[in-house]
Amino acid sequence: MRLLRELKHRGTITSVAAALNYSPSTISQQLSLLEAEAGVPLLEPIGRRVRLTPQAEILVAHTGIVLRQLEAAEAEIAQSLTELTGTVRIAAFQTVLLALLPPVLTNLRTQHPGLRIEVLQAEPQIALPKMLAHDYDLVIAEEYPGHPLPRLAEFHYRELCQDHMRIALPPTDRGTDPDRVWELVAERPWITEPHGTTSRQWIRELCRNAGFEPDIRYTTDDLLVHRRLVVAGHAVAILPDLLWLDHRPEAVLIDIPDSPHARRIVTACRKENAAHPAIEACQTALAQAVLSQPQ
């Protein structure tokens, strides 16, 4: 039944096999056995793929209930122990990995040496659906003003901090009048994250509200490249404060006109896992890492 549930979330038998380290033939055999036990067809071919029948969807719904109950039971068992063990799989985006991950790992290694932490860089739109498939236990995500994350009923969300966003100019622009910053950047090349990202959409909205269309010449999801191109004088950008925590900013940072603009950094975990001591330990370490950063 769990394999059937995995198939629903991952889409193909090959994907299920890769995620669970089984061969596709093993997955197919197990699903055939389940189909024989259920006495009804569970899969139907669609071209080279398969999809779940209505009866399979019923089984998946019940499987989800059972797995949630098991996860809640595991959390209770962990609460009854005096030492944290096991593995927590965390997905986070780049600036959190750069600024917060090192102190978080140091804290957890000191406070809970028996706890194994696995971390993968992933954007929220990719990581959150994968958490439903139990690929991750904790996701650190970002929300831009006017672009809240979908609040899935299966997840528990918690705000970690506000990360202020500022217009970044080359060092040669030191002394720029903040009241004229839009006029200046309207004539400059821009660097942003790729098409389809919330940050790019938000930046375009800000520029259009200021009366111009940004000349986006450079596109990458690596904010360290953004930082380098700005400092070298090749582009302007809007960058988060977290990006500058590891050293003094070389760029000129100017507040976005009208009002402070910040993205919200939030954590998400499955509801049944929210009270697990290992998840709570990670949440505590993250909060402490935020408080320890220079303001």
Side-chain angles (χ1 to χ4, degrees):
M1 289 173 66
R2 183 173 183 179
L3 293 178
L4 191 66
R5 183 178 182 274
E6 293 286 337
L7 182 57
K8 174 179 172 61
H9 286 296
R10 300 184 190 278
T12 67
I13 289 176
T14 301
S15 298
V16 174
L20 301 181
N21 293 318
Y22 291 133
S23 67
S25 61
T26 299
I27 301 295
S28 296
Q29 290 170 8
Q30 292 297 317
L31 291 175
S32 295
L33 288 174
L34 178 62
E35 194 169 57
E37 292 175 358
V40 293
L42 298 178
L43 303 175
E44 53 188 8
I46 303 293
R48 295 185 178 181
R49 299 166 65 95
V50 293
R51 71 180 177 191
L52 275 62
T53 64
Q55 293 72 33
E57 295 283 359
I58 293 172
L59 273 180
V60 167
H62 284 278
T63 302
I65 294 171
V66 172
L67 290 178
R68 288 193 293 271
Q69 290 176 332
L70 285 174
E71 197 160 42
E74 290 171 359
E76 286 189 33
I77 291 172
Q79 290 167 0
S80 71
L81 302 175
T82 57
E83 181 179 351
L84 286 183
T85 59
T87 300
V88 177
R89 296 156 298 177
I90 301 175
F93 55 94
Q94 185 187 35
T95 43
V96 164
L97 297 181
L98 290 168
L100 302 181
L101 183 63
V104 165
L105 294 179
T106 299
N107 179 306
L108 292 172
R109 183 178 59 192
T110 302
Q111 299 296 325
H112 308 288
L115 190 61
R116 175 184 172 89
I117 304 297
E118 297 180 357
V119 180
L120 184 74
Q121 181 176 332
E123 295 302 313
Q125 64 270 22
I126 296 173
L128 288 170
K130 287 192 173 185
M131 192 160 64
L132 281 176
H134 289 235
D135 282 0
Y136 308 122
D137 304 303
L138 185 66
V139 171
I140 307 171
E142 58 185 347
E143 291 185 323
Y144 284 86
H147 298 271
L149 289 170
R151 287 298 194 261
L152 301 180
E154 296 91 342
F155 295 157
H156 176 270
Y157 298 85
R158 181 186 299 181
E159 181 173 321
L160 181 61
C161 65
Q162 298 267 338
D163 187 17
H164 285 277
M165 308 290 293
R166 306 181 201 275
I167 299 173
L169 304 172
T172 52
D173 286 308
R174 203 166 302 281
T176 294
D177 182 356
D179 293 331
R180 300 186 61 190
V181 67
W182 283 134
E183 179 182 339
L184 176 65
V185 299
E187 304 300 324
R188 300 286 187 87
W190 281 73
I191 183 168
T192 71
E193 294 189 67
H195 287 282
T197 57
T198 303
S199 63
R200 183 185 179 111
Q201 182 179 350
W202 176 70
I203 288 171
R204 291 179 74 102
E205 289 171 357
L206 283 175
C207 293
R208 287 169 178 171
N209 289 338
F212 69 96
E213 186 71 23
D215 178 12
I216 300 174
R217 299 190 194 179
Y218 313 109
T219 298
T220 174
D221 56 8
D222 188 338
L223 293 193
L224 294 180
V225 176
H226 290 216
R227 188 170 77 182
R228 288 294 298 273
L229 289 190
V230 169
V231 171
H234 298 298
V236 297
I238 295 180
L239 298 175
D241 281 358
L242 276 179
L243 190 63
W244 306 96
L245 287 181
D246 59 344
H247 67 290
R248 183 177 179 180
E250 308 100 317
V252 176
L253 302 179
I254 297 179
D255 288 339
I256 299 172
D258 300 328
S259 63
H261 292 266
R263 62 178 181 175
R264 296 175 67 239
I265 310 300
V266 300
T267 62
C269 63
R270 293 182 296 276
K271 280 187 175 179
E272 293 72 26
N273 228 9
H276 196 292
I279 298 296
E280 291 185 338
C282 292
Q283 298 273 25
T284 299
L286 282 164
Q288 290 174 350
V290 169
L291 290 175
S292 68
Q293 299 296 339
Q295 300 299 314

